[in-house]
Amino acid sequence: MSLRLATFNIENLMTRFDFTGFRNQLRQDRVLKLFEVDGEEQYRRLEEARAIASTDDTRQLSALAISEADADIICLQEVDNMSALQAFEYGYLFRMVGNGYRQKYLVQGNDSRGIDVAVLMREETIDGQKIELVDIQSHAMMTFLDLPPELGPFPAENPSDKIFKRDCLEVDLRIGGQPLTLYVVHFKSMGPSRDGLDGRDSTMPVRRAEALAVRHIIERRFGKGHTANKRFVICGDMNDYQERIEVIGTRRTGYRFVHHDEAESALDVFSHDGFAENVMRRRDVMDRWTLYHARGPQEQHLCQLDYIWLSPSLAASNAGQVPQVIRGGQPFRTVFPPGQEVERYPRTGWDRPKASDHCPVVMTLDLV
């Protein structure tokens, strides 16, 4: 009995317009800067038209990426609300995959922009096994007071602060009668440089605390020291990496690709003692990335931000399985190492429209 499981940061699946660009030039879309806009009302009408047109292209590409993944269960990040999820599934996914993801779950988390984690599920796996929700629990309200003090120090002035910047959604399932627990997360993003540290290093303590909290939730659930033989998966955009591929050069001069291991990562919380396995490491070292990052030709790299971590028992029972990375929705600005180029979806642009800057990751799991 098999299950196809995917994770995907769908990026800003919103049901609302953002008009702040009228008063804040830094937030104004670049195309509107090409036109003279006479007053806020005209700006609002133009922004509505622009957003609607570009969103249709974007969501068609997002749906193509999800359709190509062909997963039974999809863990999503950056979903505005249930209305947005339902509208996207019915208006876009349904047209591509037919009667598919009828089970939809989302709990409002802590993100200041209102973007949440969510789960889309079929009613049955592709081989006809029933997918049943047993229970779902949000951990958005978890604070640093809920963690054992010895796990500290923690990046919070107030111990009653919430740990998760979005949420950790715990989803208990039965797949053909077999138990499986998902932990769907979206960790703190890398911010701008601060206190002499770059954006990754300055925000890493927050992500480390989130990873510690996820591990604590799992160990509290199954018993510390007794998690290895349980069936759990940690999925989501974790906004950190343990390795990266530095991209050196330009399109005119050509590129070199250099692999680097990171000295430290928030995700070491999961890997250092074999608590869970990042199955992407079963792929070639140059072919594990899910995102291209660039700030001009002087700062470019490929890295993995999107993860499927398997419990040791699941990893062992699926030793021969390797995850897939869906890259057809990547914008044309993304630099691919030699031999990894893919045909982009129709209408994909230089940097937009695109399915997402993130690639869906999907894996077939044997649950027998």
Side-chain angles (χ1 to χ4, degrees):
M1 178 179 63
S2 64
L3 171 79
R4 280 183 67 81
L5 175 67
T7 186
F8 183 34
N9 183 331
I10 197 170
E11 286 191 336
N12 297 318
L13 181 57
M14 300 288 196
T15 59
R16 49 202 156 100
F17 296 106
D18 181 3
F19 299 117
T20 57
F22 180 74
R23 303 187 186 283
N24 184 348
Q25 291 290 311
L26 295 176
R27 299 182 66 111
Q28 186 174 118
D29 188 80
R30 66 192 184 206
V31 72
L32 291 183
K33 294 181 184 294
L34 299 176
F35 296 90
E36 294 183 6
V37 180
D38 298 325
E40 186 169 359
E41 183 57 34
Q42 183 186 31
Y43 172 83
R44 284 174 174 263
R45 292 198 304 270
L46 291 170
E47 176 60 24
E48 287 172 351
R50 181 204 68 80
I52 289 171
S54 65
T55 298
D56 181 50
D57 282 343
T58 296
R59 293 313 159 204
Q60 289 196 55
L61 298 178
S62 300
L64 277 170
I66 291 174
S67 176
E68 185 177 345
D70 193 25
D72 302 312
I73 299 175
I74 307 168
C75 303
L76 294 175
Q77 300 86 51
E78 294 201 16
V79 179
D80 196 359
N81 51 42
M82 184 57 75
S83 294
L85 191 59
Q86 290 174 330
F88 171 70
E89 189 276 331
Y90 181 75
Y92 292 87
L93 273 184
F94 177 80
R95 293 175 181 273
M96 294 185 187
V97 302
N99 292 326
Y101 301 101
R102 293 188 174 183
Q103 301 187 72
K104 307 173 186 67
Y105 303 99
L106 179 151
V107 178
Q108 184 174 353
N110 299 324
D111 188 88
S112 59
R113 291 194 296 143
I115 52 174
D116 300 312
V117 298
V119 180
L120 283 176
M121 304 195 309
R122 301 182 189 272
E123 294 182 308
E124 293 182 344
T125 66
I126 197 168
D127 57 3
Q129 299 297 321
K130 190 173 182 180
I131 302 174
E132 302 173 87
L133 177 71
V134 177
D135 192 21
I136 186 167
Q137 181 180 358
S138 166
H139 294 280
M141 302 306 292
M142 187 177 185
T143 72
F144 290 95
L145 292 171
D146 297 313
L147 289 181
E150 60 268 21
L151 295 180
F154 301 126
E157 296 180 2
N158 187 344
S160 62
D161 286 350
K162 297 172 185 174
I163 299 173
F164 293 109
K165 296 305 177 183
R166 281 92 179 188
D167 196 0
C168 172
L169 199 61
E170 184 175 5
V171 186
D172 279 316
L173 304 169
R174 287 197 177 276
I175 315 296
Q178 296 293 324
L180 179 68
T181 303
L182 303 181
Y183 296 90
V184 188
V185 301
H186 184 187
F187 286 173
K188 167 70 176 175
S189 57
M190 301 181 212
S193 300
R194 182 178 180 181
D195 298 329
L197 298 173
D198 67 21
R200 176 171 177 260
D201 289 339
S202 65
T203 53
M204 190 181 298
V206 180
R207 290 188 296 278
R208 179 179 179 276
E210 290 177 308
L212 285 169
V214 172
R215 179 163 178 164
H216 178 67
I217 289 167
I218 296 171
E219 290 178 333
R220 184 177 59 189
R221 163 75 183 275
F222 297 115
K224 189 171 183 177
H226 300 281
T227 59
N229 63 346
K230 305 300 181 183
R231 291 183 173 184
F232 66 83
V233 186
I234 310 169
C235 289
D237 174 5
M238 300 187 184
N239 273 312
D240 211 338
Y241 48 86
Q242 295 176 306
E243 58 185 349
R244 62 186 167 87
I245 301 170
E246 185 180 4
V247 181
I248 303 169
T250 67
R251 291 178 184 271
R252 181 178 65 84
T253 62
Y255 294 104
R256 291 190 297 116
F257 299 87
V258 181
H259 175 269
H260 297 277
D261 286 315
E262 296 298 318
E264 182 182 6
S265 169
L267 305 179
D268 297 342
V269 169
F270 297 146
S271 64
H272 80 277
D273 60 352
F275 176 76
E277 180 184 332
N278 172 19
V279 288
M280 191 74 89
R281 287 190 170 248
R282 299 178 181 181
R283 296 174 63 93
D284 182 81
V285 69
M286 301 295 286
D287 195 19
R288 300 167 181 168
W289 60 274
T290 66
L291 181 133
Y292 167 67
H293 167 83
R295 288 181 180 168
Q298 72 284 354
E299 183 182 338
Q300 304 176 83
H301 68 251
L302 299 161
C303 62
Q304 181 189 2
L305 296 188
D306 307 275
Y307 293 82
I308 295 176
W309 291 85
L310 298 186
S311 67
S313 64
L314 270 179
S317 62
N318 289 274
Q321 299 290 350
V322 178
Q324 299 171 252
V325 185
I326 309 299
R327 297 189 177 125
Q330 281 286 291
F332 277 100
R333 75 182 188 95
T334 300
V335 179
F336 285 74
Q340 295 182 25
E341 297 88 350
V342 296
E343 183 178 356
R344 264 69 160 205
Y345 302 143
R347 296 176 64 88
T348 297
W350 174 253
D351 64 345
R352 69 182 191 193
K354 60 191 176 185
S356 171
D357 277 335
H358 297 254
C359 300
V361 177
V362 60
M363 186 171 184
T364 299
L365 298 176
D366 185 354
L367 299 180
V368 174

